[in-house]
Amino acid sequence: MAGSRGGTLIGAKRKSRGGGEPSALGSSIVAALTLATFALSLAVTFPPSPRFAPKEEPAIERVTWAPPASADVVTRGTALSQVLDSRGFDSDQIREITRLLEIYRRPRALRPGTALRFALGATGVPDRILIALTPDSLLHFVRSDSTWTTRIEQVPFVVDTVRISGAIETSLWSARLSGDLDRFGKKDFEDLVYDLADIFAWKVDFTRDLRRGDAIRVILERKVRADGSIRSRHFLAIELRNGDRILRAIPQPRPSGRFAYFDEEGRSLKGAFLRYPVPYRITSHFSARRYHPILKLWRAHEGIDYGAPYGAPVEATASGIVTRAGFMGAYGRLVELRHPGEIRTRYAHLSSIPADVRPGAHVDQGQIIGRVGATGLATGPHLHYEFLLNGRHRDPLTVDMPSAPSIAPAELAEFRRDRDDALALLYGAVPISDAIRVTLASGVARNMTRDSGSE
C-alpha cells in the first residue's frame, strides 16, 4: 500500500510540474484504488500460529508380577522347559520361547540359580516373562495374542564417588580408616586391598614394607546397581605414605579398557615383572646359606618360598616362552619361562600344570601357569620361585628390574592435566584425619630422635 501511494503521489507531482492542478477525476481514482487495496488486504487470511501443547510423557507401563515360586528357578537338574511347563505353558509355546531365547543365550547355558519372573494373563497363563541374562541385562518376553516378542533392558546404575583415608598399624587390613567405609561390604574391601597391593607391587611389598605410622588415602569412582552390587569401579587417585616416601598413583585408560597407573612424572608403577607370583607371605628368603629341612645340610637357597594353600593359582611374573614344563628332580613339577634380556624364571613344587603351558608356548604376564603343590623335595605345599639373569640366580626382591613403558612424550601434556585434576580431587576430598596426623607426627618425632641419637 505504501508503494501504491508513493507512485500515485509522484505521478501527481509530475503532472503539477507539467502545468496545472490534478483533476477531481484523478483524485477519485486514487482514493478508489487505495480503498480497494485496503479491502483486499483484509480479505487475505493468514495461517493460524502454531499451538505448542506440552509434550506428553510416555505412560509408565505397570506390570503385576506373580509371586515367585520355588519351581521358577533353573537348577542344576532342571531344564528351562520344566520351569515353563510348571507355569502352564504348552509344548508349542515352550518351543517358541526357547527359540527366541537362543537368539541371546543357549538355554543350557543359563546358570543354576537363574530365576524367571512371570506376569499372569487373563487366562492364568503368563503373558510376560523376565530373565536376568547377566547382572546388567534383563530379557523380557511379551505375548500379544499368540505371538511372543522380546526386548533387552539394561539394568540401571548410578555413579558415585567413594573416599577413604587412614593410618596403618601393621597392614592395610588393620589400618584405622575413615571416610565412606559404610558404603563398603567386606568383599568390596578385600578387593580394594588386593588392588592396592597390585598397583604398588613394584614399589612396596605390602607383606613386609608397611609400618606403623604409614598412611593411605584413596578416591575411587563406582557404578552401583539398584540392589547395591558393584557393576564396576576404578581409582581416580591414590597416595601412599611409606616411611619417608610419598607414592602417588594416577590412572590412565588403556586400549584394552583397563587402567594403567603412573607416578606424577608419568613413569609406570608397573615393572616388566610382577613382584610376586602368588599373593602370600614369604616363608623362606633368598640366601647363600640355609639349612635344608629334608636333606639336613646347609646350602644356598637360590629362590624365594611362598607359603600358600594347596591348589592356589600361580601367575607368570612376566610374559615369556615356556622352556620347561614337567618334573625336574628336586624341583618336582616345574615351569620355566624365558624372558627378554637373558632372564629366566622358575616355578617349582607345582601340583599341576595347565595343558596349554608346554615348551614353546607363549604365556602372558599374570597368566595362570600352575597350581601350588608339594612335589619334589618339599615338606608341605608352597611355591619355590627363582629368578635368573644371564644364567645366574638373583634375589627377585632386590634385583634391578626394567619398568613398563612410561607415558609417551606426545601424551605428557594431557597426562599432566589429568594428574593435576586427580590430585586436586584427592587433596580436597580426602583429608588426612587428625588421628592420622598425630600418628604420622609421632612417627616423625621418633625418627628424628633416632637420627639425632645416632650422630
Side-chain angles (χ1 to χ4, degrees):
M1 290 187 293
S4 300
R5 279 197 298 270
T8 305
L9 291 173
I10 291 172
K13 289 180 180 178
R14 284 176 179 170
K15 285 187 177 182
S16 64
R17 281 197 300 268
E21 296 293 325
S23 66
L25 179 60
S27 298
S28 299
I29 293 174
V30 170
L33 288 174
T34 301
L35 289 173
T37 304
F38 179 70
L40 182 61
S41 69
L42 293 178
V44 176
T45 59
F46 293 93
S49 59
R51 298 170 60 91
F52 294 98
K55 183 179 179 181
E56 294 186 3
E57 296 293 334
I60 298 176
E61 185 179 26
R62 299 192 181 277
V63 179
T64 302
W65 297 100
S70 58
D72 294 344
V73 180
V74 176
T75 63
R76 192 171 299 277
T78 304
L80 175 66
S81 58
Q82 294 173 273
V83 176
L84 297 174
D85 179 71
S86 70
R87 280 292 184 174
F89 290 97
D90 60 33
S91 57
D92 290 338
Q93 290 176 323
I94 292 174
R95 279 194 295 270
E96 177 65 9
I97 293 170
T98 302
R99 183 188 67 80
L100 290 173
L101 175 61
E102 287 176 340
I103 299 173
Y104 307 92
R105 178 75 53 83
R106 291 187 301 108
R108 291 184 179 275
L110 292 177
R111 293 184 177 182
T114 299
L116 282 70
R117 298 188 66 188
F118 300 92
L120 301 182
T123 62
V125 177
D127 58 5
R128 291 174 182 268
I129 308 172
L130 179 64
I131 302 177
L133 291 180
T134 70
D136 297 307
S137 61
L138 305 174
L139 177 59
H140 289 262
F141 293 81
V142 180
R143 183 176 63 183
S144 177
D145 295 329
S146 60
T147 303
W148 286 90
T149 59
T150 59
R151 66 179 176 86
I152 289 288
E153 175 192 355
Q154 296 300 316
V155 174
F157 62 87
V158 297
V159 178
D160 70 356
T161 303
V162 178
R163 305 162 175 86
I164 293 176
S165 64
I168 294 169
E169 296 289 338
T170 57
S171 69
L172 275 180
W173 298 104
S174 60
R176 291 188 289 112
L177 298 174
S178 61
D180 299 323
L181 286 177
D182 58 328
R183 290 152 69 183
F184 269 86
K186 181 179 179 181
K187 181 64 166 59
D188 297 330
F189 181 70
E190 290 177 356
D191 292 342
L192 176 72
V193 172
Y194 283 126
D195 286 348
L196 290 171
D198 286 341
I199 290 170
F200 289 107
W202 270 110
K203 300 296 181 181
V204 180
D205 183 347
F206 274 41
T207 64
R208 301 174 59 214
D209 296 343
L210 295 183
R211 63 198 72 175
R212 181 180 178 85
D214 288 351
I216 191 162
R217 51 182 168 186
V218 173
I219 184 166
L220 54 91
E221 185 177 271
R222 309 184 305 174
K223 293 180 180 178
V224 185
R225 303 184 187 96
D227 62 1
S229 60
I230 308 301
R231 180 181 183 184
S232 65
R233 64 167 174 77
H234 69 275
F235 294 100
L236 298 178
I238 310 167
E239 181 182 271
L240 173 65
R241 299 188 183 188
N242 176 230
D244 58 354
R245 298 187 301 168
I246 298 180
L247 305 173
R248 300 182 180 92
I250 310 299
Q252 289 290 286
R254 300 290 91 181
S256 63
R258 297 185 176 184
F259 287 86
Y261 292 86
F262 301 84
D263 67 12
E264 57 265 50
E265 300 303 323
R267 295 182 294 258
S268 177
L269 292 178
K270 182 180 180 181
F273 286 77
L274 299 177
R275 189 74 177 265
Y276 41 75
V278 287
Y280 295 95
R281 66 186 181 89
I282 296 174
T283 56
S284 185
H285 287 270
F286 186 93
S287 173
R289 182 175 169 81
R290 187 197 71 152
Y291 186 75
H292 196 284
I294 295 179
L295 299 178
K296 307 299 183 183
L297 54 83
W298 292 89
R299 69 175 190 175
H301 187 242
E302 297 178 323
I304 292 178
D305 289 348
Y306 292 88
Y310 191 92
V314 177
E315 298 181 354
T317 54
S319 300
I321 303 298
V322 179
T323 54
R324 295 180 183 177
F327 275 93
M328 185 180 172
Y331 285 108
R333 193 172 278 112
L334 169 135
V335 170
E336 181 184 78
L337 304 179
R338 183 183 74 247
H339 312 281
E342 298 299 321
I343 295 174
R344 291 177 185 258
T345 55
R346 291 175 181 168
Y347 313 78
H349 306 312
L350 302 174
S351 62
S352 63
I353 299 172
D356 58 345
V357 178
R358 57 186 182 275
H362 174 85
V363 297
D364 294 322
Q365 185 181 59
Q367 180 177 332
I368 295 175
I369 57 173
R371 300 278 174 174
V372 169
T375 55
L377 290 181
T379 57
H382 71 282
L383 175 72
H384 176 77
Y385 174 62
E386 293 183 357
F387 185 98
L388 294 87
L389 177 61
N390 294 319
R392 295 180 57 192
H393 287 86
R394 299 293 184 90
D395 187 345
L397 297 180
T398 60
V399 67
D400 188 18
M401 297 285 192
S403 296
S406 299
I407 295 292
E411 300 173 359
L412 269 177
E414 182 178 358
F415 169 78
R416 287 169 180 151
R417 288 192 294 270
D418 292 343
R419 172 202 63 191
D420 293 345
D421 291 343
L423 292 180
L425 187 63
L426 181 70
Y427 296 145
V430 193
I432 298 293
S433 69
D434 291 340
I436 295 174
R437 292 183 187 280
V438 170
T439 303
L440 292 175
S442 61
V444 172
R446 286 195 301 271
N447 292 335
M448 291 177 65
T449 302
R450 188 183 307 113
D451 293 342
S452 61
S454 62
E455 291 180 353

